Structures are given as structure tokens and as C-alpha cells.
């Protein structure tokens, strides 16, 4: 990961850099996945690009490959996590849509105890 893509004030950048603890599910050069600290379903995993991208709305065309890689990883992680009966993939874009952490992330939610999607 390029140093310039790290944001000192970002909790998810700090998690991806292992400066804050998290229950890690997957990591490679570009991506990081970890369990949500306040799960809103039986399985609740967050997947992020290591690069600090604040919101989906701030994506640049050069991020397209990274986002494709991220989505394909979701498909592989769902299998690795033993999710056989479907899952939700949620992205809140912007504060008004409920994005409290301004580092792009998808919520992978599975199992039977889903919180109302509007509260994720
Ligand atoms: P958002 O509301 O931004 O779409 O989702 C942020 C998610 O990050 C929430 O589900 C919240 O529980 C989770 N979260 C916030 N801080 C931390 C943290 O320090 N560690 C972990 N593992 N999850 C966090
Ligand atoms: Zn960040």
C-alpha cells in the first residue's frame, strides 16, 4: 500500500495497518476484511480497500480494478465463511445514508438475525 493512501485520522486505515486490533478475516496487498465490532447479523464482516477512499462517491476511474477485485473477494469470502444460504452486501455512501466511518467499506451480512437494513 502506498503511504500517501493512509489517513492518520481514519479508524479503518489504523485497523488495516494493525495499529488498532480487529478480528481479521482476510488480508492481501490491497484489501482487508474483519469482523464488525457491533454485529448486526449472525455473520457481519466488513471489507475495505487498504487505500483510503472516503466514500463510493469519491471513487476515481483508476479505482475500478481495485473495486472489481474487492467484489470478487466478497464472493470468495462468502464461501470461506461457510455462507451457503445467501448474504446481503450493504454500502452506506455518505453520512446522510448512515456512513459513520468515512473509509469505503461493504458490510457482508449473513445468517438469520438481520437488523433492519436502514439501521446498518
Ligand atoms: P457505517 O455506518 O459507516 O456504514 O459502518 C461502520 C461500521 O463499522 C459499523 O457497523 C460499526 O459497528 C463498525 N465499526 C466502527 N468502529 C469499529 C472498530 O473500531 N472496529 C470494528 N471491527 N468495527 C468498527
Ligand atoms: Zn481510511
Amino acid at each position: 500500500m502506498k503511504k500517501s493512501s493512509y489517513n492518520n485520522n481514519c479508524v479503518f486505515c489504523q485497523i488495516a495497518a494493525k495499529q488498532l486490533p480487529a478480528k481479521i478475516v482476510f488480508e492481501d496487498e490491497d484489501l482487508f476484511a474483519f469482523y464488525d465490532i457491533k454485529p448486526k447479523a449472525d455473520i457481519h464482516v466488513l471489507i475495505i480497500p487498504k487505500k483510503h477512499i472516503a466514500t463510493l462517491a469519491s471513487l476515481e476511474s483508476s479505482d475500478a480494478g481495485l473495486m472489481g477485485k474487492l467484489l470478487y473477494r466478497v464472493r470468495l469470502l462468502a464461501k470461506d465463511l461457510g455462507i451457503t444460504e445467501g448474504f446481503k452486501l450493504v454500502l452506506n455512501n455518505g453520512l446522510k445514508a448512515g456512513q459513520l466511518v468515512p473509509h469505503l467499506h461493504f458490510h457482508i451480512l449473513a445468517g438469520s438475525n438481520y437488523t433492519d437494513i436502514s439501521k446498518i
Side-chain angles (χ1 to χ4, degrees), residues 6-112:
Y6 177 89
N7 181 317
N8 281 316
N9 301 315
C10 173
V11 65
F12 284 0
C13 279
Q14 290 171 8
I15 286 175
K18 299 191 182 129
Q19 290 161 355
L20 284 178
K23 218 172 142 194
I24 301 171
V25 175
F26 175 82
E27 174 176 19
D28 71 7
E29 197 188 355
D30 299 316
L31 304 173
F32 201 84
F34 54 102
Y35 283 97
D36 196 290
I37 205 164
K38 281 192 193 161
K40 285 135 198 124
D42 293 336
I43 296 174
H44 187 173
V45 167
L46 302 172
I47 182 164
I48 65 171
K50 284 186 172 176
K51 176 183 176 187
H52 181 81
I53 301 170
T55 66
L56 191 79
S58 57
L59 274 183
E60 294 170 9
S61 63
S62 56
D63 297 318
L66 174 63
M67 294 307 289
K69 190 178 163 185
L70 187 153
L71 278 181
Y72 186 65
R73 180 55 54 183
V74 169
R75 173 253 192 277
L76 297 177
L77 280 184
K79 193 162 175 275
D80 292 348
L81 290 164
I83 300 171
T84 53
E85 300 201 11
F87 60 90
K88 289 186 199 291
L89 191 59
V90 174
L91 180 143
N92 296 322
N93 178 64
L95 190 58
K96 284 204 170 171
Q99 185 184 359
L100 299 180
V101 178
H103 181 131
L104 190 157
H105 54 279
F106 282 92
H107 301 252
I108 304 168
L109 302 140
S112 46

